[in-house]
Amino acid sequence: MTPLALSSLSREELRRWLEARGHPAYRADQIRRHMLRAGEGGFASMGDLPLQLRAELEQSTAWSSLEVLAATAADRGLTTKLLLRTGAGHELEAVMITHPPRSGSRGRRTVCVSSQAGCAIGCVFCATGRLGLRANLTAAEIVDQVLESARRWDAESLGRPTNVVLMGMGEPLQNYSEVVSAIRLLHEWGIPPRQVVLSTSGLVPEIMRLAQEGLGARLAISLHATDDQLRDRLVPINRRFPIASLLDAARKYAAASGRRVTLEYVLIRGVNDDSGAARKLGQMAAAVHGHVNLIPMNPIPGSDLRAPSPAACREFAALVGPRATIRHSRGDRATAACGQLRASLAAEPRREKRILARELALVESPSGQPG
Ligand code: SAH
Ligand code: SF4
């Protein structure tokens, strides 16, 4: 029998679980404190719990639903990529990003979490897309990426995680219910939904469902193109949910949540970096009252696509207008940056071939016109 993942329970559920077994409910808070602390060696090290309770926990629950296979630091230790494995043997990655305090700001600790092992969408510029979907992660497996990060920050006395971005492996809205449960659970670990960003390639019905949910999480839309012909090729889900419907959903989400949406735009040299696209992007952002994050593309294995020069990125940003910010994703050297997450998994050969064919067509005729 698979053990019960402690991180799948809310605080109240853990209290009830304990009471049902004849233990006082307040033990829940003791256990949960241990789950955030550095150097915890599992139940054996929970010295303030009675031996019998420790034995029961050991027998029927799992301290963490993830095993850490490797941790790679970059950016002078400000970014750490964790390679993790689920109980079912699926590999995934999470990235810990430390923003040190600056004058006027207290510093933040952001965990970039995966919602799936692999991804089914197959965006042409993304390493995860080449893996295909290996598995949906459970809410506990999503939460445990944050708790594992919390223990590592605690080891350096850096404080608790403050923000979570669902920008690791996977399309969060294709794993809707586990992702929503995880966002709810994270609130009890000190991360309210307004400090969670859910990034999506654009599943319109699920965006609308999320708007109704009333969670209050922030939404980022991975736009990457301003016309359907190009977006169909970069982000294949666009064939089902074209740009106009996506922007409409973004506008409705913003209205329902009272939070501004972000449009993400990975800049790819010679593909989506022309001045016409920049102007259109500025108009689209204005129409949804949103902000634009321009992300110079990180190179990925097996692809010739590259970012424009830094000067060209700045020019593009200027044309988009005041709503645009250039974001360099952190951790390049540890290949921890956006889109580079592929665990230690090999691409799925037939899938990679299909994506490469799309890439070749893009480079030869970026606008989608033959010739
Ligand atoms: N599947 C979701 C969330 C995970 S991807 C989504 O697509 O939004 C998180 C972000 O990383 C997305 O905006 C994605 O477009 C971006 N990304 C993917 N590959 C990238 C690359 N090679 N360089 C820079 N950003 C990339
Ligand atoms: Fe999936 Fe997002 Fe990568 Fe596209 S960019 S393949 S949706 S993880």
Side-chain angles (χ1 to χ4, degrees):
M1 210 176 68
T2 15
L4 170 73
L6 281 180
S7 47
S8 71
L9 303 180
S10 65
R11 175 173 176 266
E12 191 49 42
E13 285 166 340
L14 182 56
R15 285 167 65 87
R16 274 190 264 130
W17 187 89
L18 288 160
E19 277 179 333
R21 281 157 188 76
H23 301 285
Y26 69 80
R27 297 281 182 213
D29 289 339
Q30 282 178 300
I31 295 170
R32 287 170 64 88
R33 271 198 297 278
H34 281 291
M35 289 169 78
L36 285 170
R37 243 180 252 156
E40 288 294 344
F43 303 115
S45 65
M46 297 184 181
D48 54 351
L49 301 181
L51 269 177
Q52 197 212 331
L53 173 55
R54 279 191 261 165
E56 268 182 67
L57 287 167
E58 185 82 60
Q59 206 183 13
S60 43
T61 71
W63 153 248
S64 172
S65 59
L66 299 173
E67 185 192 344
V68 183
L69 301 180
T72 322
D75 272 348
R76 286 163 285 124
L78 294 179
T79 310
T80 301
K81 180 173 73 171
L82 304 176
L83 174 60
L84 304 157
R85 187 163 57 201
T86 68
H90 298 290
E91 288 182 12
L92 61 128
E93 287 168 332
V95 185
M96 301 165 55
I97 305 157
T98 310
H99 304 269
R102 279 202 235 135
S103 54
S105 95
R106 291 205 311 214
R108 285 178 293 128
R109 283 156 301 284
T110 301
V111 191
C112 174
V113 301
S114 294
S115 55
Q116 300 180 310
C119 180
I121 306 289
C123 301
V124 78
F125 47 81
C126 172
T128 308
R130 303 201 172 194
L131 303 174
L133 178 63
R134 307 287 164 96
N136 272 325
L137 300 182
T138 63
E141 286 159 354
I142 298 169
V143 170
D144 274 329
Q145 295 171 58
V146 180
L147 296 184
E148 181 57 39
S149 305
R151 292 191 283 272
R152 285 168 184 266
W153 274 313
D154 188 53
E156 297 172 51
S157 306
L158 285 175
R160 300 269 167 86
T162 56
N163 297 68
V164 165
V165 293
L166 284 144
M167 295 186 182
M169 298 168 87
E171 169 47 58
L173 294 183
Q174 277 196 335
N175 186 17
Y176 187 91
S177 53
E178 296 300 313
V179 163
V180 166
S181 302
I183 295 174
R184 293 215 163 95
L185 288 166
L186 285 170
H187 200 165
E188 293 192 344
W189 292 106
I191 303 160
R194 65 171 184 281
Q195 274 150 235
V196 175
V197 180
L198 187 153
S199 174
T200 179
S201 58
L203 279 72
V204 167
E206 283 75 16
I207 294 174
M208 297 314 298
R209 191 173 159 199
L210 194 68
Q212 313 263 293
E213 203 87 47
L215 261 185
R218 292 175 191 273
L219 187 70
I221 304 271
S222 290
L223 193 63
H224 312 318
T226 54
D227 67 85
D228 283 318
Q229 222 169 20
L230 179 58
R231 194 165 190 272
D232 281 353
R233 304 163 87 186
L234 291 177
V235 186
I237 193 97
N238 194 67
R239 295 177 205 146
R240 279 172 60 201
F241 308 114
I243 294 174
S245 67
L246 181 53
L247 292 178
D248 188 47
R251 205 171 24 241
K252 288 179 175 146
Y253 188 88
S257 66
R259 304 197 190 287
R260 258 204 267 180
V261 294
T262 301
L263 302 180
E264 293 165 285
Y265 196 95
V266 170
L267 279 167
I268 312 170
R269 188 194 304 165
V271 173
N272 65 356
D273 61 345
D274 55 289
S275 55
R279 290 197 188 90
K280 232 162 132 186
L281 182 56
Q283 289 159 8
M284 287 176 170
V288 300
H289 305 292
H291 190 85
V292 178
N293 280 347
L294 299 171
I295 314 159
M297 180 180 159
N298 289 305
I300 61 165
S303 165
D304 291 330
L305 299 176
R306 291 288 180 271
S309 69
C313 291
R314 284 196 297 274
E315 252 169 66
F316 189 93
L319 284 174
V320 177
R323 294 175 182 273
T325 314
I326 300 177
R327 298 240 183 255
H328 292 277
S329 42
R330 297 260 298 266
D332 281 311
R333 268 164 296 151
T335 57
C338 287
Q340 293 180 315
L341 303 183
R342 61 189 287 170
S344 56
L345 303 165
E348 210 260 282
R350 279 207 313 240
R351 190 181 177 82
E352 180 152 60
K353 230 166 124 183
R354 277 203 309 273
I355 295 181
L356 276 175
R358 253 194 293 135
E359 173 179 332
L360 199 65
L362 270 177
V363 176
E364 283 170 358
S365 73
S367 63
Q369 306 302 326

